[in-house]
């Protein structure tokens, strides 16, 4: 019996690479023929340069001469995490919610997934929609997107809202860029293997922990954000939860310190209040968007 077991194990070990390769090829075949997720009703698409296609939804009615509100999601995730807030804002504002490239129903494969590259796509979307100026609301990683957009095109930024948003480098993970980049590289390698080197038969396709999500963090560099924040002189509202473990409230306080005319609202909530409980800050964000001011210093 022991000899039979040894023979069986030897044969399995001999054929294991072939069996793994067959399983991997089968996984690729299943994934290739997996039906694409159906976009929610009302989804529109804008064709941008370079073959990039952005999915977006609109809420509320546009009003001539009034800048719309653009809600920019974080990572992982897509525009759908901002739909609840968009619905709440819609009675007073025209709201646009895009899926950034690499996420949701937009083009998944792009050359650069950094938030700086996303800011270029965001401005290109505004061009495609004929929008000259907009209020930009960035949630989490979306904060880096709107800050980069404001630096690139300040005249097109009516106001900024940092909503549980990233910013200065020293409050991201370890606080050290090179240490963080090493962690992001490790995460990218693990997820890339899970998606491309492991027979998952479509189970990982379009999941939250995607390769695109990992690339978003790996490709992004937060170090320039401090100077961008410090030099920003337009209206700025900062909304943050005191119990945020993803982006500590210390980051929001530092952003407020750097922009003296900004307004900081701290709430007894966490990182996910932006899409789980947006009612708690609806009045404050609505009032700000309706009359953001001119960026003049505010009393502390």
């Amino acid at each position: 019996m022991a000899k039979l077991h040894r023979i069986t194990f030897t044969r399995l070990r001999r054929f294991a690479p072939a069996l793994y390769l067959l399983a991997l090829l089968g996984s690729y075949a299943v994934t290739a023929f997996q039906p694409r997720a159906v976009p929610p009703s009302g989804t529109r698409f804008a064709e941008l340069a370079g073959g990039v296609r952005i999915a977006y939804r609109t809420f509320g009615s546009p009003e001539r001469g009034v800048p719309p509100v653009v809600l920019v999601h974080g990572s992982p995730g897509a525009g759908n995490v901002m739909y609840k807030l968009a619905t709440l804002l819609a009675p007073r504002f025209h709201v646009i919610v895009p899926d950034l490239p690499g996420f949701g129903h937009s083009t998944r494969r792009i050359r650069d997934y950094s938030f700086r590259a996303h800011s270029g796509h965001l401005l290109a979307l505004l061009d495609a929609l004929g929008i000259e100026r907009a209020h930009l609301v960035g949630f989490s990683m979306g904060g880096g997107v709107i800050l980069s957009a404001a630096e690139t095109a300040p005249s097109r930024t009516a106001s900024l809202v940092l909503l549980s948003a990233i910013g200065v480098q020293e409050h991201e993970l370890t606080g050290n860029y090179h240490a963080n980049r090493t962690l992001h590289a490790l995460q990218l390698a693990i997820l890339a293997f899970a998606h491309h080197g492991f027979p998952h038969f479509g189970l990982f396709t379009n999941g939250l922990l995607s390769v695109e999500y990992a690339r978003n963090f790996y490709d992004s560099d937060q170090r320039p954000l401090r100077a961008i924040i410090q030099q920003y002189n337009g209206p700025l509202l900062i909304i943050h939860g005191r119990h945020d473990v993803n982006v500590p409230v210390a980051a929001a306080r530092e952003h407020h310190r750097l922009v003296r005319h900004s307004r900081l609202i701290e709430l007894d909530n966490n990182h996910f209040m932006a899409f789980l409980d947006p009612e708690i800050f609806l009045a404050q964000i609505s009032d700000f968007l309706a009359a953001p001011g001119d960026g003049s210093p505010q009393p502390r």
Side-chain angles (χ1 to χ4, degrees):
M1 183 64 70
K3 183 178 180 181
L4 179 62
H5 282 309
R6 283 198 300 272
I7 294 173
T8 303
F9 178 75
T10 300
R11 288 179 175 175
L12 286 174
R13 187 172 59 181
R14 182 183 304 168
F15 291 110
L19 292 173
Y20 185 85
L21 181 59
L22 285 174
L24 190 59
L25 290 173
S27 178
Y28 275 114
V30 170
T31 302
F33 289 100
Q34 229 178 4
R36 292 178 62 90
V38 178
S41 176
T43 300
R44 303 176 184 179
F45 294 90
E47 304 291 339
L48 309 183
V52 175
R53 191 177 192 228
I54 286 195
Y56 68 96
R57 286 188 65 190
T58 61
F59 301 78
S61 301
E63 186 176 346
R64 183 179 294 274
V66 178
V69 178
V70 181
L71 304 183
V72 182
H73 65 83
S75 176
N80 62 332
V81 302
M82 309 301 291
Y83 289 171
K84 186 174 182 180
L85 176 58
T87 302
L88 293 172
L89 291 172
R92 295 184 66 182
F93 307 97
H94 177 49
V95 185
I96 302 169
V97 186
D99 290 342
L100 295 174
F103 303 94
H105 299 281
S106 293
T107 298
R108 301 290 293 203
R109 294 187 179 183
I110 53 177
R111 297 174 65 179
D112 184 352
Y113 290 84
S114 69
F115 53 67
R116 179 167 288 279
H118 286 323
S119 73
H121 294 130
L122 182 64
L123 292 172
L125 174 63
L126 296 183
D127 287 338
L129 299 180
I131 296 171
E132 294 184 2
R133 299 179 75 238
H135 300 284
L136 304 180
V137 180
F139 163 60
S140 194
M141 182 65 77
V145 177
I146 67 169
L147 285 168
S148 298
E151 180 197 33
T152 302
S155 64
R156 305 189 66 179
T157 307
S159 71
L160 294 181
V161 178
L162 295 177
L163 181 55
S164 303
I166 65 164
V168 293
Q169 172 67 57
E170 62 266 30
H171 291 294
E172 176 71 14
L173 290 179
T174 68
N176 179 276
Y177 168 76
H178 299 288
N180 288 354
R181 187 166 170 79
T182 299
L183 292 174
H184 292 320
L186 179 61
Q187 174 181 247
L188 176 58
I190 292 172
L191 289 178
F193 173 76
H195 283 261
H196 304 300
F198 181 78
H200 58 81
F201 295 93
L203 293 178
F204 295 160
T205 305
N206 298 329
L208 284 178
L209 297 181
S210 63
V211 173
E212 293 86 355
Y213 144 76
R215 278 285 306 275
N216 180 219
F217 280 90
Y218 181 75
D219 290 357
S220 295
D221 185 353
Q222 285 184 226
R223 291 175 295 180
L225 293 183
R226 170 175 283 276
I228 293 174
I229 294 170
Q230 199 162 15
Q231 294 167 13
Y232 177 72
N233 58 10
L236 173 62
L237 174 64
I238 305 166
I239 303 175
H240 219 96
R242 295 190 185 95
H243 311 298
D244 191 330
V245 297
N246 297 70
V247 181
V249 69
R253 292 168 181 167
E254 178 64 4
H255 302 158
H256 180 46
R257 188 188 71 81
L258 291 173
V259 184
R260 299 201 58 215
H261 62 265
S262 65
R263 181 183 178 192
L264 172 62
I265 298 173
E266 294 184 18
L267 300 168
D268 286 320
N269 215 300
N270 58 36
H271 189 68
F272 306 105
M273 66 178 179
F275 56 90
L276 293 180
D277 202 14
E279 294 91 347
I280 65 173
F281 57 82
L282 178 63
Q284 294 96 324
I285 193 173
S286 295
D287 290 346
F288 172 80
L289 292 171
D294 58 4
S296 57
Q298 301 294 314
R300 296 237 171 180

